[in-house]
Amino acid sequence: MVGLTIAGALGALGGNPMAGLEVLDGISPDIVELAQTFVNQGKVQVDVKYGVAKLYIECICFKGENSGRVIIQDRHTNILLAERNGLGIDQNTSK
C-alpha cells in the first residue's frame, strides 16, 4: 500500500492534522483496512492538475450533500484555502 491514493484515504479517515508531516503516524490497523476498502471501492481519486505550482494538492471530499475542499501549495504544511460547501472557512494569503 503505497501512493497518493491510499495516503489520501488514510489522511481523510484517521490522520492527525496537528502532526505536520507525520500526519499518518499512529494510524490504527482498523483505519488502514477502512482506507483500503475506500480505495478498492473507487471512493478515492487522484488526478494530475497542470499549470499550477510544483507542489499543489487540492482535496475535495463529499458526504451526502456536504462538501469540503482544501488547497495546499508550495509546502506540505501550507494550507492556502479551506472551504465547506463552497464557502471559505480559512484562507492563507501569505506565501
Side-chain angles (χ1 to χ4, degrees):
M1 287 188 315
V2 295
L4 295 175
T5 307
I6 191 66
L10 287 168
L13 293 169
N16 176 1
M18 304 310 289
L21 294 177
E22 300 294 322
V23 67
L24 301 180
D25 189 40
I27 293 218
S28 73
D30 291 341
I31 296 296
V32 172
E33 186 176 333
L34 182 59
Q36 189 63 54
T37 299
F38 269 49
V39 169
N40 292 342
Q41 292 176 346
K43 293 182 177 182
V44 181
Q45 180 179 334
V46 174
D47 296 308
V48 175
K49 189 167 191 171
Y50 296 96
V52 295
K54 184 175 181 179
L55 175 63
Y56 179 90
I57 302 165
E58 183 173 358
C59 179
I60 303 170
C61 300
F62 300 95
K63 182 174 183 183
E65 295 181 14
N66 295 306
S67 66
R69 176 176 171 237
V70 174
I71 296 176
I72 298 169
Q73 184 173 303
D74 299 321
R75 295 180 317 279
H76 286 88
T77 57
N78 182 39
I79 298 174
L80 194 64
L81 173 73
E83 294 177 339
R84 180 181 298 130
N85 295 324
L87 301 174
I89 56 174
D90 191 21
Q91 188 165 4
N92 178 5
T93 56
S94 67
K95 285 202 169 198

